[in-house]
Amino acid sequence: MDFPFWPRRVYFEKKALDYWRGENLYRFFREKQVPLEFASSHNRVTGIPGNSPEEKFIESKNTLVVGVRRTLDFQGCRPSANYQLPLLTGCPGRCHYCYLHTSLGRNPYLRVYVNLEEILGVAREYIEQRKPEITTFEGAAVSDPVFAESFTGAVSEAIKFFSNQPCAGFRIVTKFARVDSLLNLAHGGRTTVRFSINHPGIIKRYEEGTSSLDERIEAASRVYRVGYPLGFMIAPVLLEDNWKENYRLLFENLSNKIPPENNLTFEVVTHRFTLRARENILRYFPRTDLEMETQNRRFKYGQFGYGKYLYPDEVWKEAQEYFQHLVESHFPRGKMEYFV
Ligand code: SF4
C-alpha cells in the first residue's frame, strides 16, 4: 500500500490499546519498526525533538499520536456546516497561513482517534435531535483529514456511515490528492468532497508539503467521475498585485478540466489574521513574506471575542463581486456558497 504520510515516531495513549483500532495500529507500526512511545494523554505529548521552534514544528508534523477522543460534544462550524466532526486533529502540510497554527498552538502534532464508533454514535444522536432538518458535519475543521486514511480508514468509515443518513450531510476538504481509497465507496451522494485550491504562485510560496494544483484538480475530476458532490474552497484569497488575472487563470484552468455543467460549490475565504496567528506564523516561518501589515487591513472583532485583520471594505467588496463573476462565467450551474 502507498502511504502519503509516514511518521518518524508514534505515541500511543495507553487507553487507545483497549480499542481494536488502537491495538491494530500498535501492531502495524511495531511491525514496520517505527519508534513507539507511550503518552498519558493525546493532549500532553512531550519529548518531541527539535532545538528551535522551527525544528520542533517540523518534528511535530512528523509525529503521530494515537488516542481516544474524550470530548464528544461537537463544536459549531459555521459557515461550512452545523457541527465539526472530530475524526483526526492536525495535518502534515506546512502552509504558512494555516489556521491550525493558532487553534493547535504549540501542539501541532498529528492525532488520530481509535473510538470512531463512539464519535459516529454521537453524530447519530445529533442527527436524531434535529430531524427532519438536515444536519451537516465538517470533517476538516481541525485537520486535513485524508493524510492518515491509509492507516485508519476513518474518513471512509464516516462516508459509509453518512451514506445511510438521509437527514445528514458530511463534508471534507483537502489540499492533498491521495483520495483514491475513497473512490469505490458507497457514498450515497451524502458526502461533499472539496479541494482547497489557490493559484500556483501562492501554492508554491506558502503551501509546503501539499499536493500541486494540477494534482488536486486531477484528483477532483476522479472524485467527480464517481458521483460525489464536488466543491472547491479558495482559501485564502490573497489580494496581491495581479490578483484578478491570477484568479481568472485559475478558473480558466479549472473549467478546462472539470465539466462546467457540474453543480460545483465554491467557498471563498479572503486572507485574514489575528495578532496571535501572526506571532505563531513568524515563529514557525521566520522568513515568510506573507503580507500581515495591520495598517493595510481593517480590524473586526471575531465571534470568539478576539480581533482579526481583514482586507478593507472597498477591496473586499470588489473581490466578492469578481469571484461571483468568475463562478458564474465559468460554471453557470455552480454556486458560490459563501464569500468571507
Ligand atoms: S493543508 Fe490545510 S490543514 Fe494542512 S497545513 Fe495546509 S492549510 Fe493547514
Side-chain angles (χ1 to χ4, degrees), residues 155-172:
V155 175
S156 301
E157 285 304 316
I159 289 173
K160 286 188 266 175
F161 167 81
F162 283 103
S163 73
N164 291 317
Q165 300 293 331
C167 288
F170 182 44
R171 296 162 67 77
I172 56 170

Side-chain angles (χ1 to χ4, degrees), residues 191-222:
T191 294
T192 304
V193 180
R194 298 113 83 214
F195 287 83
S196 172
I197 56 172
N198 222 311
H199 69 73
I202 289 180
I203 291 178
K204 189 159 176 243
R205 265 184 295 157
Y206 301 124
E207 299 191 352
E208 299 175 28
T210 63
S211 299
S212 69
L213 175 64
D214 284 347
E215 288 168 335
R216 291 181 215 177
I217 297 177
E218 173 50 35
S221 59
R222 293 201 298 277

Side-chain angles (χ1 to χ4, degrees), residues 61 91 93-95 98-100 143-144 175-176 210:
K61 291 274 186 175
C91 169
R94 299 179 307 281
C95 302
C98 179
Y99 61 107
L100 297 177
S143 69
D144 189 306
K175 282 181 165 65
F176 292 93
T210 63

Side-chain angles (χ1 to χ4, degrees), residues 96-112:
H96 296 203
Y97 32 58
C98 179
Y99 61 107
L100 297 177
H101 304 324
T102 306
S103 53
L104 302 183
R106 308 224 168 177
N107 297 318
Y109 52 80
L110 318 177
R111 281 166 255 192
V112 297

Side-chain angles (χ1 to χ4, degrees), residues 237-240 270-272 291 296-298 309-316:
V237 166
L238 289 172
L239 302 175
E240 311 170 315
T270 54
H271 182 245
R272 70 269 325 276
E291 194 271 313
N296 298 337
R297 304 294 181 104
R298 86 183 137 98
Y309 291 88
L310 309 170
Y311 284 112
D313 265 335
E314 205 177 307
V315 64
W316 194 91

Side-chain angles (χ1 to χ4, degrees), residues 1 13 22 25 29 31 36 58 94 100 111 132 137 145 159 166 181 204 215 221 225 281 296 299 320 331:
M1 190 184 284
E13 235 182 47
L25 284 170
F29 285 118
E31 275 166 21
L36 303 180
I58 288 174
R94 299 179 307 281
L100 297 177
R111 281 166 255 192
F137 295 84
I159 289 173
S181 61
K204 189 159 176 243
E215 288 168 335
S221 59
R225 286 200 292 270
I281 290 167
N296 298 337
F299 180 78
Q320 184 178 30
F331 294 97

